[in-house]
Amino acid sequence: MPGLRVLIADDNPVVRAGLAALLAAAGGIEVAAEASDGREALSLTRRHAPDLILLDVRMPGVDGISALPHLVRLAPVLMLTYSREPDIVRESLLLGAGGYLVHGEFTPDDLVRAVHDVREGRPHFTPSPAATLLSTLRTSSQPQRGVAQSADRLHNSAVFGLSSREVEIMDLIASGMSNQQIAAACFISEKTVKNHINRIFAKLQSTTRSEAIAHWLGTARPGVSGRG
């Protein structure tokens, strides 16, 4: 079975070499090409058609943010950078990045897991960008986002009887976060996350994440059990 083919875009050749070595050691992942800026990344992506792009933010010439909206049309993109500024994280996600890893916040195994997750459409974040996403979700729940939306959220919380912490975790589940990412964002253990999720599922009368999300977002009626 052919391996997953990755393009690495980073202006630092040492970083590119290190990432290539880590991915090669994992097995099943092939580095199809390496680019030093966004323009070269776009050209090489069109030429080599990789399964995934690892993209740095700050590069000379065309930077990662400028190249991102063009690259996501061709392949899933996982941001891999030293930049942890909230505005950069938010812009990357809005422009279509499937995940965001900050150097120093992940292990080789985390990197390999993130590559496979984003390739398969599952978002993946290290703690700093995960905290940014959590902050964005908290802000988005404030009244200025719209009275109707806030009312719907409060209504769901009241109907299902979720605590404020359970509401926070259910919002993160609905955003696509894994238990590990939720734990990092909320500064709690994965075991605590699992305990919260078990209680949330019981209150939402759900047995799967997709069913719980459907109930929480209002696409299924409370008390009506779906199949997940």
Side-chain angles (χ1 to χ4, degrees):
M1 182 177 177
L4 190 153
R5 302 173 67 254
V6 172
L7 181 144
I8 300 173
D10 193 296
D11 64 307
N12 189 328
V14 175
V15 171
R16 294 200 306 269
L19 292 173
L22 288 176
L23 295 174
I29 300 177
E30 171 193 347
V31 177
E34 297 180 19
S36 59
D37 69 5
R39 188 183 305 279
E40 188 179 17
L42 186 57
S43 173
L44 291 175
T45 296
R46 287 171 173 155
R47 184 185 311 169
H48 296 280
D51 299 306
L52 179 87
I53 300 164
L54 295 178
L55 183 64
D56 189 17
V57 169
R58 292 193 172 92
M59 295 181 286
V62 178
D63 63 25
I65 296 297
S66 299
L68 181 56
H70 306 284
L71 292 171
V72 294
R73 298 186 186 127
L74 303 174
V77 176
L78 171 59
M79 306 306 292
L80 185 54
T81 178
Y82 286 99
S83 303
R84 64 183 72 199
E85 295 91 337
D87 288 347
I88 297 294
V89 175
R90 293 189 192 99
E91 187 172 7
S92 297
L93 299 179
L94 287 172
L95 290 174
Y100 199 109
L101 306 187
V102 174
H103 286 293
E105 295 187 353
F106 60 88
T107 66
D109 287 344
D110 292 333
L111 172 61
V112 172
R113 189 179 307 113
V115 165
H116 286 289
D117 278 351
V118 173
R119 174 66 183 90
E120 294 168 13
R122 296 188 298 268
H124 200 111
F125 308 95
T126 52
S128 291
T132 294
L133 181 57
L134 175 59
S135 174
T136 300
L137 286 169
R138 283 172 173 161
T139 301
S140 71
S141 70
Q142 299 303 312
Q144 63 265 26
R145 191 176 175 192
V147 174
Q149 185 169 358
S150 297
D152 286 345
R153 191 169 180 272
L154 290 171
H155 173 74
N156 276 357
S157 176
V159 166
F160 295 115
L162 269 61
S163 68
S164 58
R165 175 60 106 178
E166 288 166 350
V167 167
E168 180 179 68
I169 289 176
M170 189 59 231
D171 280 342
L172 294 178
I173 292 172
S175 78
M177 277 195 181
S178 67
N179 288 3
Q180 181 184 31
Q181 292 161 347
I182 293 172
C186 296
F187 301 100
I188 56 179
S189 69
E190 282 190 65
K191 183 177 186 301
T192 301
V193 171
K194 289 177 183 176
N195 289 339
H196 280 303
I197 289 175
N198 287 338
R199 288 194 290 271
I200 290 169
F201 280 15
K203 291 178 179 180
L204 268 63
Q205 300 180 31
S206 304
T207 56
T208 67
R209 264 174 142 79
S210 59
E211 190 178 344
I213 291 169
H215 284 141
W216 183 242
L217 297 181
T219 54
R221 295 191 307 276
V224 178
S225 178
R227 303 173 75 93

